[in-house]
């Protein structure tokens, strides 16, 4: 089945005790797993949930499936890229008599035909890009959640600019909501607001000193990037996106959410998520909220040609220091 059918089962159908996720489209895997987690574990979904990477023996996994938590009798185990020998045989045996209080999800990017056959079509979920129509429906739903207004032409253009990437479109919609939640966006305003961000690793040199509030180093790195010919608007977008991540990490910390949960929610790998999580302690929510509020004004100035763009970016980043806003 595809991810649309799988999500419908989470909302309205009966969950099977075992599933095979097939592919590497991680956004929908995370979203589906989170839905199953809340549905299967109920009010105790914070407990009884485990993710295992590169499991090398069936005995290890079998023990996890049969070990209860302190606050939940049910267990949900997600196994990613397991490597034990004769995986299809051991799982086939388990599938004949699965534990009724456990739910097993095997996420294998390239499963063998034997493994796909063992799970069968009703328990195998193929992770692949959404069709254009379904992706457009997803974008409309996310627009509605944020109470934004976009013309149909603007939605089409936004989808193209983010290369039909679900996580990327969420970042852009969040940015629009911060910029002006009451604006009606047409295709031209989206074209000006959402420039394609090149995959240039050099642009990320400033994020670590920015997160650690090393203002002098942040400004120096920005000056270097400008001398190298990087566009001020792109540098600004990279900086603001990182501030948004810090804001979300700090809110998660204050809500008692774990760093692993934060990584799952944001679709980040654990190592970069831990760094953002760690650096968020250098900030307060008020400081980050004020910087994001100011970002909307700077963004408008950069896109309307008001003032010198390099000066705007350097001045804005100079405000990120510990005592700059006082």
């Amino acid at each position: 089945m595809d991810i649309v059918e799988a999500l419908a089962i989470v909302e309205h159908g009966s969950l099977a005790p075992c599933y095979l996720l097939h592919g590497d489209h991680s956004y929908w895997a995370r979203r589906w797993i989170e839905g199953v987690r809340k549905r299967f574990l109920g009010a105790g979904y914070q407990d009884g949930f485990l993710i295992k990477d590169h499991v090398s023996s069936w005995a290890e996994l079998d023990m996890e499936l049969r070990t209860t938590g302190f606050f939940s009798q049910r267990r949900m185990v997600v196994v990613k890229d397991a490597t034990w020998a004769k995986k299809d045989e051991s799982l086939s045996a388990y599938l004949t008599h699965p534990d009724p209080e456990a739910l097993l999800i095997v996420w294998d990017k390239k499963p063998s035909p034997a493994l796909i056959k063992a799970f069968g079509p009703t328990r195998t979920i193929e992770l692949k890009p959404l069709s254009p129509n379904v992706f457009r429906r997803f974008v409309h739903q996310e627009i509605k959640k944020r109470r934004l207004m976009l013309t149909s032409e603007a939605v089409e253009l936004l989808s193209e600019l983010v290369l039909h990437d679900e996580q990327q479109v969420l970042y852009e919609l969040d940015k629009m909501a911060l910029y002006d939640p009451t604006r009606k966006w047409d295709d031209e305003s989206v074209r000006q607001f959402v420039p394609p961000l090149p995959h240039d690793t050099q642009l990320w040199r400033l994020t670590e000193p920015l997160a650690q509030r090393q203002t002098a180093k942040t400004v120096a790195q920005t000056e270097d990037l400008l001398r190298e010919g990087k566009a001020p608007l792109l540098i600004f977008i990279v900086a603001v996106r990182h501030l948004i991540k810090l804001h979300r990490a700090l809110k998660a910390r204050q809500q008692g959410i774990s760093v692993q949960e934060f990584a799952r929610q944001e679709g980040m790998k654990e190592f970069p998520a831990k760094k953002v999580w760690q650096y968020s302690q250098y900030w307060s929510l008020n400081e980050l909220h004020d910087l994001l509020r100011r970002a909307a004004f700077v963004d408008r100035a950069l896109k309307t040609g008001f003032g010198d763009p390099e000066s705007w970016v350097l001045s804005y980043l100079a405000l990120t220091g510990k005592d700059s806003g006082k």
Side-chain angles (χ1 to χ4, degrees):
M1 73 179 101
D2 62 23
I3 191 62
V4 176
E5 295 169 312
L7 288 170
I9 289 174
V10 173
E11 293 179 9
H12 310 295
S14 298
L15 290 173
C18 309
Y19 287 96
L20 171 65
L21 294 181
H22 170 197
D24 59 0
H25 207 56
S26 60
Y27 173 82
W28 288 112
R30 292 191 307 269
R31 183 158 171 171
W32 183 79
I33 288 169
E34 187 63 17
V36 173
R37 180 183 177 186
K38 291 182 179 180
R39 169 86 183 274
F40 183 71
L41 297 177
Y45 77 94
Q46 298 288 355
D47 188 54
F49 178 74
L50 183 67
I51 294 180
K52 301 281 290 182
D53 287 306
H54 305 291
V55 176
S56 57
S57 92
W58 165 249
E60 176 188 351
L61 176 57
D62 190 46
M63 183 182 68
E64 296 291 358
L65 288 167
R66 302 182 192 284
T67 302
T68 60
F70 288 108
F71 304 105
S72 174
Q73 291 300 308
R74 288 186 157 191
R75 285 90 61 212
M76 177 175 164
V77 182
V78 179
V79 183
K80 298 173 67 176
D81 299 317
T83 58
W84 75 82
K86 299 182 179 180
K87 186 165 48 177
D88 55 301
E89 293 182 12
S90 51
L91 285 170
S92 293
Y94 178 78
L95 288 167
T96 60
H97 298 289
D99 189 317
E101 296 300 322
L103 195 150
L104 171 64
I105 297 172
V106 177
W107 184 359
D108 201 328
K109 293 178 182 178
K110 295 181 179 179
S112 67
L115 191 59
I116 294 174
K117 183 179 179 180
F119 276 84
T122 61
R123 292 182 297 195
T124 299
I125 302 167
E126 187 175 5
L127 302 170
K128 59 183 180 181
L130 300 180
S131 68
N133 287 340
V134 176
F135 184 84
R136 198 177 302 113
R137 189 160 67 240
F138 162 76
V139 175
H140 277 294
Q141 290 170 348
E142 297 299 326
I143 288 169
K144 187 176 180 180
K145 286 180 185 177
R146 292 160 178 77
R147 298 182 179 180
L148 291 168
M149 295 178 289
L150 280 79
T151 66
S152 57
E153 293 83 3
V155 173
E156 291 286 349
L157 178 60
L158 175 62
S159 300
E160 292 298 325
L161 289 173
V162 300
L163 304 177
H164 290 79
D165 183 300
E166 290 84 359
Q167 194 64 59
Q168 191 65 33
V169 82
L170 297 183
Y171 285 139
E172 295 300 339
L173 291 174
D174 285 342
K175 190 155 64 81
M176 289 179 181
L178 279 169
Y179 180 74
D180 188 351
T182 64
R183 180 177 186 174
K184 185 166 184 178
W185 298 83
D186 58 18
D187 55 340
E188 185 56 36
S189 58
V190 167
R191 192 183 303 279
Q192 294 176 3
F193 192 80
V194 189
L197 188 62
H199 298 290
D200 186 344
T201 56
Q202 296 301 312
L203 283 167
W204 302 99
R205 294 202 312 246
L206 65 88
T207 56
E208 187 147 330
L210 170 65
Q212 295 182 72
R213 310 194 75 167
Q214 298 175 352
T215 312
K217 190 172 181 180
T218 301
V219 171
Q221 290 284 12
T222 303
E223 289 174 334
D224 286 345
L225 290 167
L226 290 169
R227 280 193 291 268
E228 292 167 14
K230 301 297 184 289
L233 179 58
L234 293 180
I235 296 172
F236 176 73
I237 290 172
V238 168
V240 172
R241 282 178 175 165
H242 208 63
L243 292 172
I244 290 172
K245 286 183 180 179
L246 289 163
H247 187 260
R248 289 174 173 169
L250 189 54
K251 286 181 69 175
R253 288 176 70 112
Q254 295 185 359
Q255 292 167 3
I257 295 172
S258 68
V259 63
Q260 292 79 12
E261 180 73 13
F262 168 71
R264 281 193 292 272
Q265 290 178 356
E266 294 297 311
M268 299 174 67
K269 293 183 178 179
E270 191 163 325
F271 178 71
K274 282 182 176 178
K275 294 186 76 172
V276 173
W277 186 268
Q278 174 191 351
Y279 295 151
S280 68
Q281 67 183 317
Y282 299 138
W283 302 81
S284 72
L285 284 177
N286 285 339
E287 288 170 327
L288 287 165
H289 184 269
D290 185 58
L291 279 168
L292 293 174
R293 180 182 58 81
R294 292 171 185 254
F297 179 82
V298 176
D299 190 67
R300 186 179 294 113
L302 288 170
K303 289 168 181 172
T304 57
F306 176 73
D308 176 63
E310 294 189 2
S311 297
W312 274 120
V313 172
L314 290 168
S315 298
Y316 178 76
L317 292 174
L319 294 174
T320 60
K322 186 67 177 174
D323 302 316
S324 301
K326 298 182 180 179

